[in-house]
Amino acid sequence: MRPGLDNVIAAETILSHVDGEAGRLIIRGHDLEDLAGHIAYEDATALLWAGFAPTANLRSELAEARVRAFEHFKPLTDQAARLTAVEAMRLLLSSLPDDDRSKEPVNSLAAAGVAAALAARLTSGHTVLAPDTNLSHAADILRMVRGAPGDADEVHAFETYLVTVIDHGLNASTFAARVVASTAAGLPSAVVAALCALKGPLHGGAPGPVLDMFDAIATPANADAWIADALKRGERLMGFGHRVYRVRDPRASVLKAAVARLKGRANRIAFAEAIEAAALRALKDFKSERRLDTNVEFYTALLLEALAIPREAFTPVFALARTAGWIAHIREQEAGGRLIRPQSRYVGPWPVKAA
Ligand code: ACO
């Protein structure tokens, strides 16, 4: 038995490959660095979905589906406003029917974007913005999430983020999606399962807490002492460590470069670099036998903060980007996979039979 299924191969996929030793991420035959910042989110989605889901006219199909999702979610907005942002997104996505197979992929992807935006706005007491079908998915979602349109640099940075996190092998949320898909439950149901798995701070819930850590440290001079205390208390440093990477997560470098390009914006890149260096020094001493390096969430926090996205919306924004990957995995699982049903080893008491 391997706790946490560490190193267990549970699926074959043509979608993405995480090389943890080399720090390399390949998405359908392309290095991440050749996609992120170079292609639109719709094109990255079409690349992933080819052979699994319809990809013709994805930009306009997605735009129309955003409008349908917005109308569909309207009756639920009062309830959503009483939850946290990620819970609100879960509520909204749970209302989608498992029905029209041909429309499910585009409907679910558009709905994830709209649900994340509505969740971000409603739970912070703001009015919601209706979709604009003239905009790309990235530009429209950025506008709807923060209530104001982005300029070209901001949209480019946001789109770079969406493409960077679009897929990542058999991570916990993708595995959850594939387990549900393997029972033939339907695509929208499998997407909700994936969102539930992503929500936790050990997976997609980390970037908000990264900013909480920045706030608590406040100034680079405090970093060493604050980090030493946190580790002494048995806390994990958010934005560091990964199950597969034994070197720096390549997505961290792509996102750091994207933040650096956002010149003139209120970003704290020098401050973050100082915290990162202090954390890496401390983790090296703290766990000399296990290499703990910077993961994607550290610079996600910095990028989304520089784009004026509220921190409560970070996990919903991650989820809306990853939904394209989940959908591809769900369809790949449905096409060729078997029911996922591992076994457990019973270590409880046995019935005592009367003599
Ligand atoms: N800070 C301090 N110690 C850590 C950290 C960390 N960030 N990460 C791992 N460790 C320690 C663990 O406490 C453990 O110590 P122990 O053996 O004394 O108990 C040891 O390193 C090994 O950790 P595991 O839990 O076995 O590593 P695992 O592969 O299960 O965890 C994970 C990976 C969950 C990402 C972990 O590194 C972590 O909790 N990081 C912080 C949260 C985070 O940044 N999550 C985002 C991950 S990226 C993503 O999912 C998109």
Side-chain angles (χ1 to χ4, degrees):
M1 206 221 18
R2 286 175 180 272
L5 303 183
D6 200 351
N7 264 324
V8 172
I9 309 282
E12 283 193 333
T13 182
I14 63 167
L15 297 169
S16 60
H17 173 60
V18 181
D19 183 336
E21 298 298 328
R24 187 176 187 193
L25 170 59
I26 296 169
I27 297 176
R28 277 202 100 160
H30 302 268
D31 276 305
L32 169 69
E33 293 77 3
D34 296 332
L35 299 178
H38 303 291
I39 66 170
Y41 182 68
E42 288 88 339
D43 294 335
T45 299
L47 178 71
L48 270 180
W49 286 9
F52 296 115
T55 58
N57 308 318
L58 208 46
R59 181 175 163 147
S60 58
E61 290 276 333
L62 261 178
E64 285 164 26
R66 284 198 299 277
V67 175
R68 287 197 297 276
F70 186 75
E71 291 304 315
H72 178 87
F73 291 148
K74 266 187 186 163
L76 293 166
T77 51
D78 284 351
Q79 250 177 299
R82 292 195 285 272
L83 299 168
T84 66
V86 70
E87 290 164 350
M89 181 174 186
R90 187 184 63 196
L91 170 81
L92 297 173
L93 287 186
S94 298
S95 71
L96 292 179
D98 287 310
D99 59 2
D100 179 354
R101 277 187 62 82
S102 67
K103 282 276 181 214
E104 274 175 353
V106 76
N107 281 349
S108 288
L109 184 57
V114 174
L118 292 184
R121 303 290 296 162
L122 290 166
T123 57
S124 56
H126 292 100
T127 52
V128 299
L129 273 64
D132 179 344
T133 54
N134 294 314
L135 296 178
S136 69
H137 196 61
D140 202 20
I141 297 302
L142 178 61
R143 184 188 65 90
M144 289 174 72
V145 166
R146 66 177 199 182
D151 64 25
D153 288 347
E154 289 174 325
V155 172
H156 185 260
F158 188 62
E159 191 143 45
T160 301
Y161 170 72
L162 299 184
V163 173
T164 299
V165 301
I166 197 167
D167 200 44
H168 201 243
L170 203 58
N171 57 83
S173 57
T174 301
F175 184 52
R178 290 190 79 125
V179 169
V180 175
S182 84
T183 72
L187 188 147
S189 291
V191 168
V192 172
L195 174 64
C196 294
L198 186 83
K199 174 179 181 287
L202 299 190
H203 189 11
V210 168
L211 286 193
D212 297 339
M213 175 174 75
F214 285 8
D215 290 350
I217 293 175
T219 152
N222 293 338
D224 288 324
W226 190 93
I227 288 168
D229 281 351
L231 292 175
K232 218 179 286 166
R233 286 194 301 272
E235 290 173 16
R236 291 181 178 214
L237 301 182
M238 291 293 135
F240 296 92
H242 197 274
R243 172 61 64 81
V244 182
Y245 291 119
R246 289 294 165 267
V247 293
R248 200 165 198 263
D249 182 335
R251 298 169 299 175
S253 305
V254 169
L255 295 181
K256 183 177 177 184
V259 189
R261 276 194 299 272
L262 272 175
K263 292 209 170 51
R265 306 303 197 280
N267 79 51
R268 309 195 256 178
I269 198 155
F271 175 66
E273 279 172 340
I275 309 290
E276 183 184 14
L280 293 177
R281 274 195 306 274
L283 288 169
K284 203 168 162 199
D285 292 341
F286 176 69
K287 281 265 158 256
S288 51
E289 73 286 4
R290 164 85 185 245
R291 174 96 190 259
L292 295 169
D293 214 319
T294 318
N295 69 43
V296 63
E297 303 290 44
F298 191 80
Y299 283 102
T300 290
L302 210 64
L303 181 68
L304 298 185
E305 179 187 54
L307 291 174
I309 292 175
R311 69 183 69 173
E312 298 73 27
F314 287 2
T315 302
V317 167
F318 185 3
L320 77 88
R322 181 58 63 80
T323 301
W326 291 336
I327 289 170
H329 279 271
I330 291 163
R331 283 290 191 248
E332 187 181 51
Q333 179 68 37
E334 288 172 341
R338 289 180 75 200
L339 171 72
I340 297 174
R341 203 298 184 195
Q343 295 227 41
S344 48
R345 182 191 301 137
Y346 180 67
V347 292
W350 290 92
V352 180
K353 295 256 187 276

